[in-house]
Amino acid sequence: MMKIQNILLSIPLFLFSWSTVTIQAQESILSIDNYINDHADVIDDDVEQELNEMGARFEKETGSQVIFNIETRLDNPDIRKVAYETFKHYELGDEDLDNGVLFVASIEDRLRYMEVGRGLEGVLTDITSQHLQTDYLVPSFQEENYTEGIRSLYIHTIKTIESGIEEGSLKTSENQNASETAIDWTILIPIGLILVLMAFVAYQRRIQPSSTIILQPGETRELRVAGYDFSEENILISSQDSRIVSVEPSGKIQAHKVGRTKIFLQRLESSHKDYINVVVRKNHASSSQEDDPVLEALLWGSLLSSGRKRRFMGGFPHSGGWGGFHGGGGGSSRGGGAGGSW
Amino acid sequence: MQNKKFPKWGIALIIVAVVAVLIGGLFVAPYNNMVSLEENVSTKEANIQSSLQSRLDKINELMPSVQGSMDHESEVYKEITALRSGMEGVSIDEDGNMTIDSNASASELEQADQASSQLLDDIRIAIEAYPELGSTQLMSDFMTSVEGIENRLSVAREEYNEAVQEYNTTIRKFPNNLIAGMMGFASIDPYEATEEAQDAPQVHFD
């Protein structure tokens, strides 16, 4: 009996291992954990926050991810390669619309490059993206006013993409929805298997990674998750949307308003991430049904049917990135874009 | 005692069923996998082809003004003429526009790639030497679009080689190599590295 249980438990692990990403050309891949990634620390914090919020809003409206990385220097001097590899690693933009943009600036190398997803090449042509940079970024960067350069380029990049949407040359998330209802059934088979196994496992322990907890607005809870000891300092914990649920490093979580979000967990030394679904709702008779497998199955079903596939590839929010960017959407680029110096 | 033997045709049926399952498991799945990997290589080759075509389109667009204002006796002009007429897998129409043949082989694409790269360099030299060919703004836009074309082309080459590598590795593995031999899956040469790729820094593990 024990053996069968072990085999059953190993199946989802095996299935999950398919999705692990091989780490390649690490020196070319920059880390992205928000819309503005100011690793050179040259952007004013309030502007950074303003742009991060703008980026999040823009993604929500259009599915388009506009990501800026500002580095002190690059390990790989080929900035095109860096931008392309980073874009590819995080799969920026929507899976079907390929509408991601990644801008990289390296302060000490005085290099800049904007990588444009396939779906945006029509509106952000190589020449347009070059002109955006030379018009809005270069003058400020020459005066070492990095904050203004980044702010102006970010706003105008978004405006340019928006103008493309208004002119109808781009598809938005909304008019894409019709074709999204087609579900790849082969994907549902392993998911269904996992679902059944998770329901089984839910009876075995308390909170398991990937399970669901239900809170009421204002409620606080000490999180106890199998495999994570919050008294140790090597646990990263963050909330996908801190307006719904905020988290503390001690594992204490607080619900703020009605909604549904995820809490991500990761050990510092490990690249494996777990998450817990959190549902905040009012007037729930009792929160004791948190591990109810039927409820869980229903929630999973609704998540599957409502959402596009999200990929949590390294898009783990670190300090300061609470509730912002949460991974690429599966988009791709083919080396479109432009760059230069200043 | 009545000897009720299991009928011979029943045993034969079981053997046939087992063989069918074995063929299904050992043959069909790897075969289909190889087919899709080979198809992937073709797709990536088409990407190279379309990137190359956009490079040729750029050259086509610039050619009339380059030819119009250049000294026809200059070395660069002669080289441009020679390169254009000597490209394999590329046809030139009456207006002088170059188009890649739709059935060009990978090696023909490689040659067209190298020749058109040289051609583009010559045009760049020509534009720099003849200021009347373009204003500074036009020149910088030209450079931007050429760089974009080159970047897409290098991405297409890289993706092609990744696809080729995956395909080649798959058909060499056991038991795929047996099926590949039977069904005529031959290994594919990777796209030859360009000069810039060969200049890539070497990594030493001392």
Side-chain angles (χ1 to χ4, degrees):
Chain A
M1 179 57 202
M2 207 47 210
K3 261 188 176 171
I4 295 168
Q5 194 169 331
N6 283 342
I7 291 165
L8 280 174
L9 284 170
S10 68
I11 291 171
L13 276 177
F14 170 70
L15 289 168
F16 273 126
S17 70
W18 279 349
S19 62
T20 55
V21 184
T22 48
I23 294 164
Q24 43 148 358
Q26 198 62 61
E27 76 278 6
S28 292
I29 296 170
L30 306 174
S31 87
I32 295 176
D33 47 36
N34 218 326
Y35 298 89
I36 304 292
N37 302 280
D38 179 20
H39 298 141
D41 203 17
V42 291
I43 312 294
D44 294 348
D45 288 348
D46 52 337
V47 171
E48 195 178 328
Q49 197 186 339
E50 173 202 337
L51 297 180
N52 275 327
E53 282 165 12
M54 188 187 288
R57 211 163 44 237
F58 191 61
E59 183 185 345
K60 209 173 176 187
E61 287 165 6
T62 64
S64 177
Q65 296 181 314
V66 181
I67 310 293
F68 276 32
N69 268 44
I70 303 102
E71 308 290 327
T72 309
R73 72 191 73 81
L74 297 175
D75 294 334
N76 181 346
D78 186 353
I79 194 166
R80 288 162 181 275
K81 180 101 181 148
V82 170
Y84 171 73
E85 293 289 348
T86 307
F87 197 113
K88 189 176 171 184
H89 178 76
Y90 284 94
E91 301 188 345
L92 299 178
D94 181 89
E95 188 179 10
D96 299 307
L97 299 170
D98 289 325
N99 53 1
V101 171
L102 174 64
F103 175 78
V104 179
S106 175
I107 302 297
E108 282 185 9
D109 303 312
R110 296 179 88 84
L111 288 172
R112 56 182 172 81
Y113 190 78
M114 185 182 276
E115 179 85 14
V116 178
R118 288 167 202 262
L120 289 177
E121 282 186 14
V123 60
L124 273 178
T125 63
D126 298 351
I127 293 174
T128 312
S129 62
Q130 179 68 279
H131 283 189
L132 280 171
Q133 293 170 59
T134 51
D135 292 352
Y136 299 111
L137 179 112
V138 169
S140 302
F141 266 45
Q142 281 169 343
E143 293 165 4
E144 297 189 3
N145 187 353
Y146 301 111
T147 300
E148 182 49 33
I150 290 294
R151 184 174 175 275
S152 183
L153 180 63
Y154 198 85
I155 291 170
H156 284 94
T157 303
I158 282 186
K159 271 189 185 165
T160 308
I161 300 171
E162 264 176 347
S163 73
I165 294 169
E166 279 159 16
E167 286 161 17
S169 64
L170 286 174
K171 287 185 281 184
T172 62
S173 297
E174 284 89 58
N175 52 32
Q176 180 72 14
N177 279 342
S179 62
E180 263 175 25
T181 50
I183 298 167
D184 188 350
W185 291 102
T186 53
I187 290 172
L188 291 182
I189 296 168
I191 289 174
L193 207 68
I194 293 165
L195 224 145
V196 171
L197 279 160
M198 277 196 327
F200 169 74
V201 169
Y203 278 114
Q204 309 288 314
R205 292 185 197 161
R206 291 292 293 164
I207 302 178
Q208 196 70 20
S210 315
S211 66
T212 303
I213 55 175
I214 295 158
L215 300 171
Q216 292 181 49
E219 190 180 347
T220 57
R221 171 87 59 96
E222 289 287 336
L223 211 53
R224 285 194 187 80
V225 185
Y228 288 91
D229 180 2
F230 292 103
S231 62
E232 288 172 28
E233 289 193 342
N234 62 346
I235 309 284
L236 286 169
I237 174 167
S238 69
S239 167
Q240 184 184 9
D241 191 340
S242 54
R243 287 167 304 177
I244 297 172
V245 176
S246 62
V247 296
E248 287 173 26
S250 61
K252 194 171 162 190
I253 61 173
Q254 180 165 22
H256 297 293
K257 62 172 190 173
V258 175
R260 189 164 58 192
T261 185
K262 284 179 176 159
I263 290 174
F264 299 104
L265 299 161
Q266 184 184 13
R267 276 185 214 86
L268 273 179
E269 70 275 11
S270 153
S271 62
H272 177 77
K273 296 174 196 86
D274 282 311
Y275 62 87
I276 291 165
N277 295 307
V278 183
V279 175
V280 181
R281 63 183 188 211
K282 284 180 185 154
N283 301 328
H284 191 261
S286 133
S287 57
S288 62
Q289 295 178 19
E290 56 194 22
D291 283 332
D292 187 339
V294 179
L295 185 70
E296 187 173 315
L298 284 172
L299 277 161
W300 264 92
S302 71
L303 277 172
L304 281 171
S305 59
S306 70
R308 297 187 299 270
K309 290 188 287 294
R310 270 265 166 251
R311 300 178 185 207
F312 302 95
M313 304 172 96
F316 194 82
H318 296 288
S319 58
W322 306 124
F325 178 76
H326 48 271
S332 65
S333 82
R334 56 179 188 126
S341 189
W342 63 81
Chain B
M1 174 180 160
Q2 182 80 19
N3 194 358
K4 254 201 169 177
K5 262 178 118 183
F6 197 74
K8 273 192 180 146
W9 59 265
I11 294 168
L13 203 69
I14 289 170
I15 290 171
V16 167
V18 167
V19 168
V21 167
L22 279 177
I23 289 174
L26 292 175
F27 185 88
V28 175
Y31 174 80
N32 286 344
N33 185 28
M34 280 184 255
V35 169
S36 52
L37 287 177
E38 196 179 40
E39 206 46 51
N40 188 28
V41 172
S42 307
T43 312
K44 304 294 180 192
E45 189 180 327
N47 287 350
I48 295 185
Q49 195 165 332
S50 73
S51 297
L52 260 184
Q53 185 58 53
S54 53
R55 184 200 257 169
L56 292 184
D57 289 343
K58 197 77 208 168
I59 296 172
N60 291 339
E61 183 189 316
L62 292 160
M63 221 50 219
S65 48
V66 169
Q67 281 176 319
S69 55
M70 276 183 78
D71 177 1
H72 288 206
E73 296 303 313
S74 72
E75 285 297 314
V76 175
Y77 186 84
K78 282 178 186 164
E79 189 174 303
I80 290 176
T81 314
L83 281 168
R84 289 183 75 221
S85 53
M87 258 192 246
E88 277 188 55
V90 173
S91 52
I92 305 184
D93 68 10
E94 294 155 8
D95 299 328
N97 288 331
M98 295 179 288
T99 312
I100 294 181
D101 299 338
S102 55
N103 54 357
S105 68
S107 71
E108 280 175 330
L109 288 181
E110 270 173 40
Q111 287 172 24
D113 186 346
Q114 277 161 13
S116 62
S117 171
Q118 182 63 42
L119 196 50
L120 207 52
D121 276 346
D122 287 342
I123 292 177
R124 196 176 308 170
I125 293 167
I127 292 181
E128 279 163 4
Y130 295 84
E132 68 271 24
L133 278 177
S135 66
T136 319
Q137 183 59 57
L138 279 176
M139 181 67 193
S140 85
D141 282 354
F142 164 70
M143 292 298 294
T144 301
S145 62
V146 167
E147 278 164 13
I149 289 167
E150 296 304 308
N151 206 31
R152 284 183 189 82
L153 191 50
S154 79
V155 167
R157 286 191 203 109
E158 201 172 291
E159 288 183 346
Y160 176 79
N161 282 347
E162 278 170 15
V164 166
Q165 194 193 359
E166 195 186 355
Y167 167 80
N168 283 346
T169 315
T170 305
I171 66 166
R172 280 181 58 194
K173 279 185 186 160
F174 183 83
N176 300 357
N177 54 354
L178 303 177
I179 302 159
M182 270 189 288
M183 303 307 294
F185 285 95
S187 69
I188 300 173
D189 290 332
Y191 202 83
E192 203 176 278
T194 55
E195 286 148 44
E196 55 184 311
Q198 281 162 353
D199 287 340
Q202 304 256 315
V203 181
H204 297 286
F205 298 96
D206 293 335

